[in-house]
Amino acid sequence: MSDEAATATTAAEAPAAEPLAHGLGASLPHADARAKTEGTFPYAADLWAEGLLWAAVLRSPHAHARIVSIDTTHARAMPGVRAVVTHEDVPGTSRHGRGTPDRPVFASEVVRHHGEPIAAVAADHPDTARMAAAAVIVEYEPLDPVTDPERAFEAEPLHPDGNLIRHIPLRHGDPEAAGEIVVEGLYRIGRQDPAPIGAEAGLAVPRPDGGVELYLASTDPHSDRNTAAACFGLPADRVKIVVTGVPGATADREDQGFQLPLGLLALRTGCPVKLTASREESFLGHAHRHPTLLRYRHHADAEGRLVKVEAQILLDAGAYADTSADALAAAVSFACGPYVVPNAFIEGWAVRTNNPPSGHVRGEGAMQVCAAYEAQMDKLAKKLGLDPAEVRLRNVLATGDVLPIGQTVTCPAPVAELLTAVRDFPLPALPKDGPEEDWLLPGGPEGAGEPGAVRRGVGYGLGMVHMLGAEGTDEVSTATVRVHDGVATVICAAVESGQGFTTLARQIVQETLGIDEVHVAPVDTDQPPAGAGCRGRHTWVSGGAVERAAKMVRTQLLQPLAHQFGMSTELLQIADGKITSYDGVLSTTVTEALEGKELWATAQCRPHPTEPLDGAGQGDAFVGLAFCAIRAVVDVDVELGSVRVVELAVAQDVGRVLNPAQLVARIEGGVTQGVGIALTENLRTPRGLIRHPDLTGYALPTALDVPEIRIVKLVEERDVVAPFGAKPVSAVPVVTSPAAIASAVRAATGRPVNRLPIRPQAAVVNAR
């Protein structure tokens, strides 16, 4: 997108370009949009089966306790109860986990976090199941919980694997380097819950061969299938996962600790079993964003150019490891942000505590450090007397620069262009301070404050995320494209979790084959694996696999025509449903060429390999990077400490726009999630116990909290190693917007604002 064409857009505005009928670049609507709007979309909570039983799970009321005894006698004797299972009834592997299998299916000797599963019940009515679960008598010996991650280093081991999950010491450059200007800071990031729209639900159906089928809203069905098979003591081919409608996902959607009791009960009873979690159970069960403690020291020269960054990063993993090792790698690798830092010395730790488990949530690791390093850049600007945007511009990364992990940035990195775009975008008008004006106070239209106490602030955030997995993760996806009777079908186990993969797959086939009617088959584990639906990886690896398969079918379609006219297939093109040759001799429709034919092809996409970080935190660990710049404008009532985000101006490098409307929606969704992180979302856990595990106590931003979101620039500089040249778009706004909002509150109040979410007392200025 050129500078002249760069304009602000919102979801309500049409894309600047004329929308195409189909194919890449068109604003094709979601295939399931109508069903979701009409309420006919089949979510897991809607499933039913003949002879259905209902499940309930008994969870620990303690954050840390020794289990003295478990008595299921009363529960088993209740009328209508068909089965009760505990740790003694797990026939296979008793541990599971997304990254590290260190979590028991059911607690046996010790409870390590509030809500840990103890037992599960199947009964003929949901109320009976819940009462039976409550009738399981567990004798606990409460233990003092370790809830401060700094205490975990000296505390008694909470787990057989110890309290330290991973330590990464990053060493880059000269440890003796020093700058004339030094700024320091201590920062804390709270615990965020992914808060899915629909709580976890699933159905397990036993099979005649002794296996089981699980109908779940899984975002990584093959991994979940393998975990379940190991737990059930079955070969993988006797466990099948069928992906039902996913009601939105900004993390690993399904808690495996939810899936496994469901399957065990179906195998034990020989009946279909359904489990629908309450909102409280959802909060207790799934993983959360890592609370993080960060200490920073930045060195710069007299002109504000960074000389050295020193940092200590401590991630609270909660009771189990999950994906904490990966989150720590991202946090340490991006601890300096999208800036050129010749010398960096970072210490990162992830530790176990008795807090609720942490795991993969959009932008994990990168979001926490972004809030800290951007606060440091604000401090540096203030100490030097420079504009905050100018300090950032003097240090930004560009293609060819080297990250602190020693990896060269080979992908497009237009960070300066992004920052300049948001800096130069016109600021929103200031409201007049007068009783006749419709003044919107930070507390809302009926806010209790006074307009005279409101101050406006402007702040900036620059963020970066990695694409796909990291540190040697084998990223691969397989897809099949089949064409029959003029209709194309895509078979790929990439789960549609709201990111738009099914729409993208349709567009790819339309673009490549010129076929209007394209269907995407439902996902199950009988298909080849496609991997997890996170970090935008399905756009790259699964979209790439669909493209390759579609191109193979295209060759099959064109070869007979090319042979007939004595030319190569490269001299033929497909456009607007027609096949034509370069010289105009051949002209026919795709429909005519397909008549009586059935064509299909299967292909894989595997990006180039990466490597683990070494003992000094060095290595080519990432496939690619994506960047974002956000300027936040806020109004702060400095007497009450209430904050209203007025506007967020966003500039992002997207590689290539594949679906304009979908891209805008993804960016706006990511920015909105960041607003929640910055201002409202904080899962409070005094002594390890989740307080108010509901959507009343946990404050998500509503439509009234969402500011004007102005997408002022989309840089379409294609990444040559990525299919279509596109980059993922939803994670990096989540990473960047909380830092930008905090920066704006600092500008409005002069307060340090070193904690997220921003508490009212942090924004109060004593003297007006």
Side-chain angles (χ1 to χ4, degrees):
M1 184 179 292
S2 66
D3 290 339
E4 292 77 19
T7 57
T9 62
T10 67
E13 296 170 348
E18 182 70 23
L20 304 174
H22 60 68
L24 297 176
S27 290
L28 203 67
H30 280 267
D32 55 18
R34 181 166 182 172
K36 288 181 176 178
T37 303
E38 295 177 344
T40 58
F41 189 73
Y43 294 111
D46 302 322
L47 299 179
W48 187 264
E50 190 68 29
L52 183 71
L53 300 178
W54 297 84
V57 176
L58 174 68
R59 297 179 179 273
S60 167
H62 302 285
H64 195 202
R66 186 171 290 109
I67 296 177
V68 178
S69 64
I70 302 174
D71 183 359
T72 63
T73 306
H74 297 288
R76 295 179 190 276
M78 291 180 65
V81 172
R82 299 288 294 276
V84 180
V85 293
T86 66
H87 67 94
E88 296 177 344
D89 302 297
V90 179
T93 304
S94 61
R95 289 187 179 187
H96 67 96
R98 285 285 182 194
T100 302
D102 65 343
R103 183 185 304 198
V105 179
F106 295 110
S108 57
E109 298 176 354
V110 64
V111 166
R112 298 186 177 92
H113 73 91
H114 181 207
E116 185 159 13
I118 306 294
V121 176
D124 57 11
H125 192 278
D127 290 343
T128 303
R130 286 190 286 268
M131 288 188 291
V136 175
I137 300 173
V138 183
E139 183 181 350
Y140 297 99
E141 180 187 327
L143 302 173
D144 287 335
V146 177
T147 58
D148 182 351
E150 292 187 285
R151 279 190 54 213
F153 293 99
E154 304 297 332
E156 290 294 318
L158 303 175
H159 190 279
D161 296 341
N163 293 347
L164 179 63
I165 295 168
R166 189 177 187 184
H167 171 223
I168 302 178
L170 186 151
R171 305 286 181 263
H172 178 73
D174 179 9
E176 302 302 321
E180 300 173 60
I181 307 299
V182 178
V183 293
E184 300 183 44
L186 173 66
Y187 307 97
R188 296 180 185 274
I189 310 299
R191 180 177 287 103
Q192 186 202 12
D193 190 274
I197 296 172
E200 290 78 1
L203 174 68
V205 180
R207 301 190 342 179
D209 63 358
V212 66
E213 292 186 359
L214 297 168
Y215 295 80
L216 304 164
S218 170
T219 55
D220 191 359
H222 288 83
S223 174
D224 289 347
R225 186 271 312 272
N226 295 340
T227 298
C231 167
F232 302 156
L234 295 172
D237 60 3
R238 288 171 62 186
V239 177
K240 179 179 179 180
I241 288 184
V242 179
V243 178
T244 59
V246 179
T250 58
D252 288 325
R253 181 62 177 79
E254 283 290 327
D255 169 31
Q256 291 179 321
F258 170 89
Q259 304 166 2
L260 301 178
L262 185 63
L264 288 171
L265 289 169
L267 290 168
R268 174 60 64 92
T269 62
C271 298
V273 179
K274 181 176 180 177
L275 177 57
T276 302
S278 65
R279 180 58 63 180
E280 178 178 352
E281 288 180 299
S282 183
F283 271 102
L284 293 174
H286 59 227
H288 311 86
R289 188 183 298 280
H290 292 81
T292 308
L293 177 67
L294 310 102
R295 292 182 174 89
Y296 268 80
R297 180 185 294 125
H298 276 53
H299 297 250
D301 64 20
E303 295 183 348
R305 290 183 174 84
L306 293 172
V307 174
K308 182 170 70 173
V309 171
E310 301 169 284
Q312 296 177 336
I313 302 167
L314 178 58
L315 268 60
D316 180 356
Y320 299 107
D322 205 271
T323 57
S324 296
D326 297 336
L328 183 66
V332 169
S333 299
F334 303 143
C336 300
Y339 300 108
V340 177
V341 179
N343 308 287
F345 297 87
I346 316 295
E347 295 281 350
W349 302 270
V351 297
R352 291 183 176 88
T353 65
N354 292 122
N355 289 319
S358 303
H360 169 64
V361 181
R362 186 188 285 170
E364 73 275 14
M367 179 260 131
Q368 291 94 323
V369 296
C370 182
Y373 66 66
E374 287 297 79
Q376 288 288 102
M377 297 303 286
D378 282 342
K379 286 185 176 182
L380 189 59
K382 185 176 182 179
K383 196 163 187 176
L384 289 164
L386 293 174
D387 179 77
E390 177 59 31
V391 167
R392 289 167 168 83
L393 279 171
R394 294 182 184 185
N395 291 282
V396 291
L397 273 176
T399 304
D401 286 329
V402 178
L403 298 173
I405 60 172
Q407 179 173 340
T408 301
V409 179
T410 57
C411 66
V415 186
E417 184 178 359
L418 300 175
L419 177 55
T420 302
V422 297
R423 181 197 64 183
D424 295 344
F425 187 70
L427 288 164
L430 282 166
K432 294 181 180 179
D433 184 7
E436 73 281 357
E437 299 295 330
D438 184 17
W439 173 264
L440 184 62
L441 294 170
E446 303 298 328
E450 294 294 331
V454 175
R455 297 180 186 174
R456 175 155 291 188
V458 178
Y460 296 91
L462 294 181
M464 61 191 296
V465 297
H466 66 285
M467 298 179 282
L468 311 179
E471 295 193 279
T473 302
D474 183 22
E475 295 283 6
V476 62
S477 183
T478 305
T480 297
V481 174
R482 177 177 288 113
V483 179
H484 180 62
D485 289 338
V487 178
T489 300
V490 177
I491 302 171
C492 182
V495 176
E496 172 58 67
S497 59
Q499 85 280 37
F501 172 75
T502 56
T503 308
L504 174 62
R506 292 164 57 211
Q507 291 180 271
I508 293 169
V509 175
Q510 289 172 344
E511 176 96 354
T512 307
L513 298 177
I515 298 174
D516 285 333
E517 190 172 353
V518 181
H519 302 293
V520 180
V523 174
D524 61 50
T525 50
D526 287 344
Q527 302 164 6
C534 57
R535 303 183 188 92
R537 61 179 304 282
H538 282 321
T539 298
W540 185 314
V541 292
S542 297
V546 172
E547 182 190 37
R548 292 181 183 184
K551 286 183 174 179
M552 292 166 67
V553 172
R554 183 181 187 276
T555 300
Q556 296 172 25
L557 174 64
L558 297 182
Q559 272 181 340
L561 294 172
H563 179 74
Q564 180 182 348
F565 286 85
M567 60 181 68
S568 68
T569 57
E570 287 75 16
L571 299 177
L572 302 179
Q573 66 175 2
I574 299 177
D576 298 324
K578 294 181 180 180
I579 303 172
T580 55
S581 62
Y582 75 102
D583 55 7
V585 172
L586 170 62
S587 179
T588 186
T589 65
V590 172
T591 302
E592 291 171 345
L594 283 171
E595 189 172 356
K597 296 179 180 178
E598 181 174 355
L599 308 175
W600 67 274
T602 298
Q604 282 189 337
C605 180
R606 177 181 270 116
H608 65 79
T610 57
E611 61 188 22
L613 297 175
D614 64 18
Q618 302 294 294
D620 289 341
F622 305 110
V623 173
L625 303 168
F627 304 91
C628 178
I630 294 180
R631 186 195 67 195
V633 178
V634 304
D635 285 342
V636 182
D637 186 320
V638 296
E639 293 181 344
L640 299 178
S642 53
V643 178
R644 173 183 171 237
V645 183
V646 177
E647 179 187 273
L648 292 169
V650 184
Q652 193 164 322
D653 99 289
V654 298
R656 179 185 176 188
V657 178
L658 302 177
N659 185 313
Q662 193 165 277
L663 180 138
V664 168
R666 296 294 287 170
I667 292 176
E668 291 190 333
V671 169
T672 301
Q673 186 177 3
V675 172
I677 298 169
L679 298 179
T680 63
E681 296 188 44
N682 186 26
L683 192 65
R684 291 169 292 173
T685 56
R687 292 189 56 79
L689 303 178
I690 296 180
R691 181 185 294 174
H692 305 306
D694 53 55
L695 294 181
T696 300
Y698 184 79
L700 290 170
T702 69
L704 295 176
D705 301 304
V706 179
E708 290 288 342
I709 299 172
R710 305 292 188 183
I711 302 176
V712 304
K713 193 176 190 67
L714 300 175
V715 177
E716 294 191 68
E717 186 178 349
R718 300 189 184 186
D719 189 338
V720 295
V721 301
F724 332 111
K727 293 187 176 186
V729 298
S730 59
V732 68
V734 178
V735 167
T736 312
S737 53
I741 293 168
S743 176
V745 174
R746 278 190 287 272
T749 64
R751 300 292 304 279
V753 188
N754 55 9
R755 182 190 295 261
L756 292 182
I758 301 169
R759 298 182 294 182
Q761 54 266 43
V764 170
V765 178
N766 293 328
R768 287 182 56 180

